[in-house]
Amino acid sequence: MPEAARSCAETLSVLLEWFETNKVTYNEEAIEVVAQQQTRRRSNIVSANGIGIVAKRDLIDEEPLVVIPKSAVISTASSALANIFEDEELGGSLALCIAVMYELAQGIESPWYGYLQSLPKRADIPLLWDIDSRKWLAGTDVGKWVERDEQSVREDFKVLQKLVVDYPAVFVSQNGIDWNHFGCFLDVASLVSSRAFMVDEFRGNSMVPFADIFNHLTAGANVHIESEENVCVLCGNEYGCEHMEPLDDGDLDGGDERHGGCESHSDCEGHGQSDADSWADEEEGGETEDEEEEESDGEEIPILIDYSGNPILAAPDKMDIDDTGSAYKEDENDEASLTDEEDLMSGTLDMVVYQTCKAGSEVFNTYGDHGSAYLLHRYGFCDKDNIFDSVVLDTDDVMQAFSVAVSEKRAEDMALLLSQSAGMFEQRHRAQQESSENEGDDSDEDESEDEEIGLEDGVETEAKPPVFSIDAPGHPDLNLATLLVLGLAEDSVFTQIAESPSVLRHFFPIIRRFWAAFQDKLDAGASVSAAMRVANKDKVVKQSTVGMVCRATQLLAEKRLAQLGDNSLLKNKPTDPTLRARWESAKQMRTNEAAVLQQCIKRYKKAASKLL
């Protein structure tokens, strides 16, 4: 991380030099990486760390701008701790957070130092806000999520503390990293939360230098990342890997080539994969000579890997460091950086223009099609006009609607049906569906809007319960509308659906299509009766049932708006720049959520009066 006294220009100079050394290239004729004063776009602080991307000329569609070798990213697979992660069965964002902390602890000796020194100390996400600042989030979706996050992250910190105890020679507090300090862990966790990108099936979510300089603009981004995600899960290569080749008869006999490999077994070891031949002595005869040499004061030093994929058989404080800061075994003739051929095999991440940008304008990336709450929760900002906005409803409130409108028994039956058919209710905003159909979808579409910051440790967990919401510009999400149709149906109809999974699977998509058409017609300015007539041309839903769903939607939105409350908590605007930025983001998000709910109430109150 940059020293406090270092200027933004000096930080940028070190970063650009690191790009050149690590073969991260960009079209210098088309774009410029600039050091600039902190500026503001709506509620989002643009280039908060003083670095941004500006177009030097007009950018055209499908124009490649940046090429990032996958060898340059920080991932759990490329980390020196890869073998520890494998032994301890750690993965996901928690492992990535630990990997980043480890590199920060190495200081200038880390091969990623030039990149890491350009990062801010932390991302100011709500999880890091003080208690007074969090009060501004009361009643919002983010306010609920942050309460859950705190517990989750503390559990993750306990996992880290166990590692620190088990591997004291590896997790050494230095260069501003204190492995025993929860606040330090939170700082790095916020960076991982706000900056990690999905790279491929081998590397998973990773820190991607250069890509994270681009700021986000909802529904207005200019570039996106293109890469091959379907790579070898054993070594990460895109092609030319023997793991992907079919076995011949000799392989089936258990010969030396049985495990395959990119070029050799040692290549696979470098990515945290054990090889039967390499470790045969350990499996057959106990300790090797190397293992005996590794012991110091009764402590066993774990086998790490260096940044070139070679085993490290010495304690971290006795490693040699090459002129790029890479740790390697004590042999001056060893290559410490990937060759051009290895870079080619590993593949690249390419930043490509998909929406034109005028000369002199900031060039924006997309972090995915997400609403204001998700953006503030995950990245620390939100936009004024966001077509992906949504407000989550409490599932208990939805069940209560069935109890009030029909009976307690119906509410119980719907809760049972929901638990048995949860997989059918995958959440997705209507605008996301339209976006993916029109442009293709390379965003984080599988991420729920209320995904917690807690850094998953790679252990499989139970499927999350369905999430229901009111979506911009003021509609129940299609799953909620469909659920309401089922729950408010006449007894004879409901019995058929509840008792026959095949009937439910048949009618579920039909009802969804009705509501999608009904909402589209309303958005296009059609009257309620006209929207009903066009959407229900196949007579799949009774008008009275649609009217009841509209009334239930209105009541649910009114209840959620009451829970949100007004903006009385935001009377006094802070003068401190950090607090003021938080205040403005919280105010903008509350305004966005209220607007979605108010529009829903107005629209569905009118629809209910026309249909009932």
Side-chain angles (χ1 to χ4, degrees), residues 24 35 48 82 91 93 169 193 199 215 223 258 260 288 337 370 385 398 412 427 437 485 521 547 552 598:
V24 177
S93 297
S193 167
V199 173
N215 288 295
V223 301
R258 185 173 179 179
T288 63
S337 62
H370 300 299
D385 300 312
V398 178
E412 294 173 0
Q427 185 191 30
E437 289 173 354
V485 169
K521 288 300 178 182
Q598 289 166 351

Side-chain angles (χ1 to χ4, degrees), residues 153-170:
V153 174
R154 288 193 179 278
E155 291 298 320
D156 293 328
F157 185 63
K158 291 180 181 178
V159 175
L160 173 60
Q161 290 305 287
K162 183 179 182 301
L163 289 182
V164 173
V165 172
D166 291 345
Y167 304 96
V170 176

